[in-house]
């Protein structure tokens, strides 16, 4: 199965600033997914990133707040913009397993906004 | 719309005891079902998945789950747990996009 390298693993940021999270996959994948896991909560899908097209955002998430880039089939970034303490969460990227039966996840980025 | 309900937010058990973590799903269409484990300060690891066929699915680390269509359940079981099984377990459903339950924290005590 694909191996995902996600960085940074954690960061502490000042409110009002932005953080860009990177995910590198060791094989080419069509779709990449970005999730948020708020403290004590489950995972919520932010958006689906397809190479060569605009990301598709889920209800409650907007491009101005979470811009996504997908320059090629092995790489994607998620930016958390104009951060507030409510953005403190773990952010994870995910790609489908070969055959599209299941998904593998990056190790996550633990973000704390102060 | 799909939804996933994990009935227990926390499950404490003693080492070598059996455990069952409960998961119910709702969906108007056939879905794939998954169990993931998240160890402290780590990402998610796939434990097992149900796609079709046999309703009893075996996964890694001695875990298994049974798909029950009539009860719309996909409970996770292990006959004898270890301290190292202490983690959070997430049930998920979906095909292209996954919907996750809220998670169950399993704590295995000596």
């Amino acid at each position: 199965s694909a191996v995902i390298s996600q960085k940074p693993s954690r960061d502490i940021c000042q409110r009002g600033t932005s953080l860009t999270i990177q995910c590198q996959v060791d094989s080419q994948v069509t779709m990449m997914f970005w999730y948020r896991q708020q403290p004590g909560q489950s995972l919520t899908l932010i958006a689906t990133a397809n190479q060569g097209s605009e990301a598709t955002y889920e209800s409650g998430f907007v491009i101005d707040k979470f811009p996504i880039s997908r320059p090629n089939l092995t790489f994607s970034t998620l930016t958390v913009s104009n951060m507030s303490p409510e953005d403190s969460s773990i952010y994870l990227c995910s790609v489908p397993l070969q055959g599209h039966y299941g998904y593998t996840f990056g190790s996550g980025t633990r973000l704390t906004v102060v | 719309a799909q939804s996933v309900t994990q009935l227990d937010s926390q499950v404490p058990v003693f080492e070598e005891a059996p455990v069952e973590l409960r998961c119910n799903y709702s969906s108007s269409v056939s879905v794939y079902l998954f169990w993931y484990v998240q160890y402290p300060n780590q990402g998610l690891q796939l434990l097992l998945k149900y796609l079709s066929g046999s309703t009893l699915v075996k996964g890694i680390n001695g875990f298994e789950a049974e798909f029950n269509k009539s009860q719309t359940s996909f409970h996770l079981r292990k006959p004898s747990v270890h301290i190292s099984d202490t983690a959070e377990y997430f049930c998920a459903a979906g095909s292209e996009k996954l919907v996750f339950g809220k998670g169950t924290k399993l704590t295995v005590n000596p």
Side-chain angles (χ1 to χ4, degrees), chain A residues 20-40:
Chain A
T20 295
I21 301 166
Q22 301 179 2
C23 273
Q24 178 76 50
V25 189
D26 68 347
S27 59
Q28 294 183 338
V29 291
T30 304
M31 292 191 293
M32 292 181 73
F33 302 90
W34 287 97
Y35 286 85
R36 181 177 71 182
Q37 185 181 17
Q38 293 178 299

Side-chain angles (χ1 to χ4, degrees), chain B:
Chain B
Q2 296 171 9
S3 67
V4 176
T5 303
Q6 291 184 245
L7 298 162
D8 307 295
S9 60
Q10 297 189 47
V11 174
V13 295
F14 288 108
E15 193 174 17
E16 297 183 6
V19 70
E20 178 180 81
L21 307 183
R22 297 180 292 170
C23 173
N24 285 90
Y25 70 94
S26 67
S27 175
S28 59
V29 297
S30 297
V31 295
Y32 302 147
L33 295 164
F34 308 86
W35 275 99
Y36 283 88
V37 60
Q38 186 177 37
Y39 298 104
N41 299 315
Q42 295 188 26
L44 274 71
Q45 181 180 4
L46 181 64
L47 271 179
L48 49 78
K49 59 189 176 187
Y50 173 78
L51 307 177
S52 64
S54 174
T55 57
L56 183 63
V57 180
K58 293 189 182 297
I60 62 172
N61 301 339
F63 284 93
E64 63 182 30
E66 185 159 18
F67 170 66
N68 188 319
K69 187 174 182 179
S70 62
Q71 298 186 3
T72 61
S73 68
F74 190 55
H75 301 333
L76 181 70
R77 302 186 183 102
K78 186 170 184 178
S80 176
V81 293
H82 302 289
I83 298 285
S84 59
D85 291 323
T86 294
E88 187 149 23
Y89 293 79
F90 292 95
C91 182
S95 51
E96 186 171 282
K97 300 177 185 177
L98 291 185
V99 175
F100 283 83
K102 291 189 174 182
T104 298
K105 287 186 178 179
L106 173 65
T107 302
V108 181
N109 298 302

Side-chain angles (χ1 to χ4, degrees), chain A residues 36-57:
Chain A
R36 181 177 71 182
Q37 185 181 17
Q38 293 178 299
Q41 301 296 316
S42 185
L43 282 78
T44 302
L45 181 63
I46 298 172
T48 304
N50 292 319
Q51 195 269 334
S53 63
E54 293 281 334
T56 303
Y57 289 82

Side-chain angles (χ1 to χ4, degrees), chain A residues 90-110:
Chain A
I90 299 173
Y91 293 85
L92 301 105
C93 61
S94 174
V95 301
L97 294 170
Q98 189 176 14
H100 210 81
Y101 296 145
Y103 302 82
T104 189
F105 285 80
S107 56
T109 297
R110 186 178 295 271

